[in-house]
Amino acid sequence: MLIEGRWGVGFLGVMLCLAVFVGCSCAQSDADNVTAVYIVTLKQVPASHYYDELRVKKGHHVKGNGSEGMSRFDKPARNMSRTDRGHKPYVDRVHDSLLKRALRGENYLKLYSYRYLINGFAVLVTQQQAYKLSTRWEVSNVVLDFSVRTATTHTPQFLGLPQGAWAQEGGFDTAGEGIVIGFIDTGIDPTHPSFSDNTPDKPYPVPQHFSGICEVTRDFSSGSCNRKLVGARHFAASAITRGIFNATQDYASPFDGDGHGTHTAAIAAGNHGIEVVVAGHSFGNASGMAPRSHVAVYKALYKSFGGFAADVVAAIDQAAQDGVDIISLSITPNRRPPGIATFFNPIDMALLSAVKAGIFVVQAAGNTGPSPKSVSSFSPWIFTVGAATHDRTYSNSIVLGNNITISGVGLAPGTDEGSMYTLVSAIHALNTTTAAANDLYVSECQDASNFNQSVVKGNLLICSYSIRFVLGLSTIKQALETADNLSAAGVVFYMDPYVIGFQLNPVPMRIPGIIIPSPDDSKIFLHYYNSSLERDDSSKKIVRFGGLASVSGGIKANFSHSAPKVMYYSARGPDPEDNSLDNADILKPNVVAPGNFIWSAWSSRGQESIEFRGESFAMMSGTSMAAPHIAGLAALIKQKFPSFSPSAIGSALSTTASLNDKKGGPIMAQRAYTNPDLNQSPATPFDMGSGFVNATGALDPGLILDSGYDDYISFLCGINGSSPVVLNYTGASCGGPTLNATDLNLPSITVSKLNQSVTVQRVVTNVGGNETYSVGWTAPYGASVKVTPAHFSIGGGEKQVLSVFISATMNSSVASYGRIGLFGNQGHLVNIPISVIIKISYNNTAG
């Protein structure tokens, strides 16, 4: 049963009561009778598999019974009709009937029916009941639900959109027009100007192939959706059954109580030219990558607890039914999926069916880097994105009275130019009438009543930044309020020595301020301050604060030529094929995109970042921010090439990616959490995939490498012991030819174990004009490479097979990398990275 808007708060209460009832009636001392949520799939294939190719309706609605608008799927059969108030869909009735027969007379609670991408349901049952379901002949798979988590003003300029991709397709006011991007995230704030449809000078029709709805609840009023925000739903049944849903924080509606979903949606598709004002300061104008595209929101993650796979799968299933063109997931599982391969989990399998329906799927790589095999997006049909820097930075500095300059962070104004201000530490400004001296945390400046205003007024207040700030127990915002109440000229935060290796994002400040992020620099600062104090010889009391300083502003952006670089937190390959961390022959991540210090829209009630609460924009970092950059750029490609398959879009993004930073040197990758800029080296394909996304190049790729649903099934069938699992999830039998991962027509080549030699083929398709290509390559260390043909001419729409021979020249278990380049005489350059991990040479093994 879907949690639709029409049920409102009353339905939420019923769900909570049912969850408690089921839990209380079934919970016994026997562990087998503890209730949990299970995802059950049936052997009958889902609706999306009824046709070899699912037809996308462009330019008009296809009418079903009455005047009901149909979704992406043609739905002539009863089990493909949409839910309405009067009747359950046929698929739901089948699921209900099965549960009644299998669990006759027993208590259970069905949460969702999955109708389109997976034929199955989510149900709250005991372990014993789950076993009963698994023995039914109709049932193919029973999986315990698992948890998931959430993994701009300047990035359009950094990616060259205004003069490049946007200009080529008619400007920002048409970029992404007609494309619907579906976001599986924490919801959206519909009142934000980034999602307004106020374009009186230009028509803005809702794409007719989209048939989603907008829930109406107390938190998401009628009229929240418009021609920009074309759909919004929420999914929380699995969370509600656990009793952890907090309606006051999480909102039983599509409204974003976290901020993350609003941020990611605006990165991909936010309106162009929206002014970014934070803490009273202007930071320029924001724009999404595809500002004319449409937004559909499927809220399945929440501030209090994250999310659960049962809710995420329901959201994906609904997005596909509604007819989105692109699905953006800035979420990753909390653990590696168990079983014979990471690819076999309900989320990836639902996304495989989405790809079959022609939907491009992009997912964040995860924020668990820089260790190898840390990537949390596994499957070749999913486009996985890592995080890199862009060239804009914000930094400020403090100049001490002894002319030492210390750099720091803080989106803050500076002190008056040319003036020096007296430094006063919080612990030296205590109000003697209070017991503040006994407060271990008084130096964090969280309560103005602890301090003597006459000592602080007009001076720079020194506060400590401890682990409590990291944990959210103390906040910069509260310290700034303290300083403001004491009439301080500004605030200087020094880093507590116990906060080791913590990386600070710039923090908005309404008054002059700076955070010194380095413990070593903090020691230099404190030494200067303490040595400048004048004390009475007998009492040792401070008689004069001798330290002086001025703070330079951190509001104005600086620009670096060392960008992009791969961030330390961005998850890395190789792609783990299974729970034993065996390496898959699939390159992950696919590319990297801007993910660090990204300005974007923020929910008016967003709670994720304490320092941005109450603001309309926030600066966030993570692969969560990188993925929607790609989702927006994919919308531009889909707009220009409407017939492109999901893999063709991924190929265009991959083969045109850049390998160099703005200086022309190799893209670097940070290798350590502590002092990351001092621990970096050239990025490998396991750090950055094919490279840093090239937005303009992706719109003119020259050649693409295409794969389809049948190829992915053949690949899955080639995994040892996978036949019953493939049948369970997809309904496909594994009797035909299989493909190794190296044989998938991917825009990369990864060989996890090169045993003497291997020959792989790649098929390129010309999506441009007639062109002649020459082929060049560099071989990975410890291997040799040869590609045939070395030259070829190819007409528009034609295909060319490339044979790649890779041989081991030495034994090695260290990964090494090479590259194939296809150089067209019309200016196209197609890059295909090669990664080889274990190498076993013929000569050494023979000897």
Side-chain angles (χ1 to χ4, degrees):
M1 132 172 58
L2 290 174
I3 308 176
E4 304 242 348
R6 61 179 180 269
W7 297 106
V9 178
F11 177 69
L12 174 61
V14 172
M15 284 288 290
L16 288 171
C17 291
L18 282 173
V20 172
F21 166 73
V22 175
C24 293
S25 64
C26 297
Q28 302 175 11
S29 57
D30 188 345
D32 286 347
N33 290 326
V34 175
T35 57
V37 176
Y38 291 84
I39 300 173
V40 180
T41 51
L42 307 187
K43 290 178 181 176
Q44 184 181 10
V45 297
S48 64
H49 292 210
Y50 285 166
Y51 305 97
D52 290 334
E53 294 295 332
L54 299 170
R55 287 166 289 175
V56 180
K57 299 302 177 186
K58 296 283 188 182
H60 63 280
H61 272 298
V62 179
K63 300 295 181 183
N65 295 329
S67 61
E68 181 183 6
M70 300 180 75
S71 76
R72 173 183 300 275
F73 303 106
D74 293 335
K75 296 175 286 188
R78 287 181 302 165
N79 61 329
M80 301 183 76
S81 65
R82 290 178 61 196
T83 306
D84 59 45
R85 293 174 187 262
H87 304 282
K88 281 187 178 181
Y90 172 72
V91 171
D92 295 47
R93 299 200 299 271
V94 169
H95 296 165
D96 292 343
S97 176
L98 169 61
L99 282 165
K100 287 179 182 177
R101 295 195 309 272
L103 306 177
R104 192 179 303 274
E106 299 180 27
N107 291 314
Y108 61 87
L109 179 64
K110 190 186 78 168
L111 308 182
Y112 297 110
S113 276
Y114 305 130
R115 308 184 189 100
Y116 289 90
L117 302 181
I118 290 179
N119 183 4
F121 49 85
V123 63
L124 179 71
V125 291
T126 65
Q127 187 174 340
Q128 201 169 43
Q129 290 173 317
Y131 175 75
K132 285 184 182 180
L133 288 170
S134 70
T135 61
R136 296 286 303 192
W137 67 268
E138 305 100 318
V139 172
S140 64
N141 214 30
V142 178
V143 177
L144 184 66
D145 194 13
F146 55 90
S147 59
V148 298
R149 60 188 170 192
T150 54
T152 97
T153 58
H154 177 68
T155 47
Q157 283 74 23
F158 183 62
L159 294 172
L161 294 176
Q163 296 78 35
W166 288 350
Q168 289 180 13
E169 302 306 310
F172 69 83
D173 54 350
T174 60
E177 193 165 65
I179 307 299
V180 181
I181 307 177
F183 297 89
I184 316 295
D185 215 301
T186 65
I188 197 166
D189 183 347
T191 66
H192 200 283
S194 290
F195 311 114
S196 167
D197 67 347
N198 185 21
T199 55
D201 298 331
K202 187 175 175 62
Y204 200 8
V206 176
Q208 295 188 34
H209 65 273
F210 182 77
S211 59
I213 66 168
C214 191
E215 288 185 20
V216 176
T217 70
R218 183 178 61 186
D219 304 308
F220 211 80
S221 61
S222 176
S224 292
C225 287
N226 53 36
R227 293 170 298 168
K228 174 74 173 181
L229 176 58
V230 295
R233 303 173 184 250
H234 87 288
F235 303 84
S238 183
I240 290 171
T241 62
R242 291 168 161 81
I244 63 174
F245 189 90
N246 185 336
T248 59
Q249 290 186 31
D250 299 318
Y251 302 103
S253 78
F255 188 86
D256 183 10
D258 181 274
H260 188 272
T262 300
H263 200 269
T264 56
I267 290 172
N271 287 330
H272 181 79
I274 307 301
E275 186 180 9
V276 178
V277 177
V278 174
H281 312 303
S282 178
F283 293 94
N285 294 326
S287 174
M289 301 300 103
R292 190 69 175 176
S293 60
H294 302 268
V295 172
V297 170
Y298 302 86
K299 178 180 174 180
L301 283 95
Y302 298 83
K303 169 61 181 173
S304 298
F305 52 84
F308 297 95
D311 296 327
V312 171
V313 171
I316 295 169
D317 194 61
Q318 189 64 58
Q321 176 188 355
D322 290 347
V324 302
D325 300 288
I326 296 164
I327 291 178
S328 179
L329 300 105
S330 288
I331 61 175
T332 57
N334 278 328
R335 59 179 174 85
R336 190 171 292 105
I340 63 172
T342 53
F343 322 115
F344 294 114
N345 67 81
I347 292 177
D348 284 38
M349 288 292 104
L351 294 173
L352 175 59
S353 288
V355 168
K356 179 180 174 67
I359 301 169
F360 180 72
V361 177
V362 56
Q363 184 178 22
N367 298 332
T368 48
S371 58
K373 303 184 187 182
S374 55
V375 69
S376 297
S377 174
F378 314 103
S379 300
W381 51 88
I382 299 172
F383 199 82
T384 305
V385 189
T389 62
H390 52 91
D391 64 343
R392 184 195 57 203
T393 61
Y394 293 93
S395 62
N396 55 355
S397 60
I398 182 169
V399 180
L400 305 182
N402 59 2
N403 290 323
I404 291 177
T405 300
I406 297 174
S407 61
V409 297
L411 299 170
T415 53
D416 291 340
E417 191 172 351
S419 299
M420 300 291 279
Y421 292 81
T422 300
L423 293 164
V424 176
S425 173
I427 59 173
H428 295 149
L430 295 180
N431 189 336
T432 55
T433 62
T434 69
N438 298 320
D439 185 350
L440 294 175
Y441 310 112
V442 69
S443 63
E444 297 172 4
C445 306
Q446 298 298 290
D447 186 353
S449 67
N450 289 329
F451 306 103
N452 187 335
Q453 183 179 18
S454 64
V455 176
V456 176
K457 185 176 181 179
N459 299 324
L460 291 173
L461 178 64
I462 301 173
C463 306
S464 65
Y465 189 100
S466 76
I467 192 67
R468 289 165 53 84
F469 286 83
V470 181
L471 300 175
L473 301 176
S474 297
T475 69
I476 297 290
K477 185 170 285 189
Q478 186 59 46
L480 294 171
E481 186 175 320
T482 295
D484 195 40
N485 288 337
L486 296 173
S487 301
V491 187
V492 180
F493 294 90
Y494 66 88
M495 188 65 63
D496 187 293
Y498 294 103
V499 185
I500 300 173
F502 182 67
Q503 303 299 310
L504 277 172
N505 285 340
V507 176
M509 302 181 188
R510 291 184 177 273
I511 64 175
I514 185 172
I515 307 171
I516 302 173
S518 162
D520 291 338
D521 286 343
S522 296
K523 289 179 183 178
I524 294 171
F525 169 75
L526 290 175
H527 179 266
Y528 166 74
Y529 170 76
N530 289 321
S531 64
S532 301
L533 295 173
E534 294 183 17
R535 297 179 183 270
D536 181 84
D537 290 338
S538 57
S539 67
K540 302 302 181 185
K541 289 184 178 179
I542 298 171
V543 295
R544 180 174 174 270
F545 296 97
L548 300 173
S550 64
V551 177
S552 66
I555 296 173
K556 186 176 180 181
N558 302 308
F559 296 90
S560 168
H561 291 288
S562 62
K565 70 176 66 171
V566 182
M567 292 303 299
Y568 63 90
Y569 54 74
S570 186
R572 312 297 168 90
D575 188 10
E577 182 174 84
D578 50 40
N579 221 25
S580 300
L581 288 177
D582 292 325
N583 298 314
D585 293 329
I586 296 164
L587 180 62
K588 293 291 178 179
N590 294 84
V591 296
V592 292
N596 207 56
F597 296 168
I598 305 298
W599 280 120
S600 188
W602 194 246
S603 173
S604 57
R605 283 176 268 176
Q607 296 292 311
E608 181 183 0
S609 174
I610 295 172
E611 310 306 340
F612 288 97
R613 285 179 184 171
E615 302 286 357
S616 295
F617 284 85
M619 178 181 284
M620 305 294 289
S621 296
T623 57
S624 280
M625 285 65 245
H629 276 89
I630 296 300
L633 297 178
L636 304 182
I637 299 173
K638 184 74 173 178
Q639 179 187 19
K640 182 175 180 179
F641 300 102
S643 64
F644 265 24
S645 69
S647 66
I649 295 173
S651 174
L653 289 161
S654 297
T655 60
T656 59
S658 173
L659 305 175
N660 300 104
D661 63 17
K662 287 185 68 176
K663 294 186 298 186
I667 293 173
M668 304 297 283
Q670 297 176 338
R671 303 291 177 194
Y673 182 76
T674 305
N675 297 320
D677 281 334
L678 300 179
N679 294 277
Q680 59 183 21
S681 60
T684 73
F686 292 149
D687 302 317
M688 65 174 180
S690 293
F692 184 81
V693 65
N694 177 347
T696 302
L699 287 178
D700 185 22
L703 305 174
I704 55 108
L705 295 89
D706 209 352
S707 299
Y709 176 81
D710 291 341
D711 299 315
Y712 299 130
I713 291 295
S714 297
F715 151 68
L716 293 173
C717 287
I719 298 171
N720 189 30
S722 68
S723 293
V725 188
V726 173
L727 181 64
N728 287 349
Y729 271 117
T730 68
S733 299
C734 286
T738 62
L739 286 175
N740 294 323
T742 51
D743 296 323
L744 282 171
N745 198 38
L746 303 176
S748 60
I749 298 172
T750 302
V751 183
S752 60
K753 186 175 182 180
L754 177 59
N755 191 351
Q756 300 178 22
S757 63
V758 66
T759 301
V760 299
Q761 289 187 331
R762 292 293 184 265
V763 180
V764 295
T765 303
N766 187 1
V767 294
N770 297 347
E771 196 161 2
T772 299
Y773 283 86
S774 59
V775 184
W777 59 86
T778 57
Y781 179 72
S784 63
V785 172
K786 182 180 180 181
V787 184
T788 59
H791 302 274
F792 62 91
S793 294
I794 185 169
E798 292 183 352
K799 299 180 183 295
Q800 173 67 51
V801 177
L802 301 174
S803 296
V804 184
F805 306 92
I806 308 174
S807 298
T809 58
M810 61 182 293
N811 288 342
S812 173
S813 59
V814 178
S816 53
Y817 314 95
R819 194 165 296 274
I820 298 170
L822 310 179
F823 302 87
N825 66 349
Q826 301 300 314
H828 292 109
L829 171 58
V830 179
N831 273 305
I832 301 174
I834 304 172
S835 306
V836 181
I837 304 176
I838 296 174
K839 295 168 279 287
I840 303 172
S841 72
Y842 176 80
N843 291 334
N844 287 339
T845 54

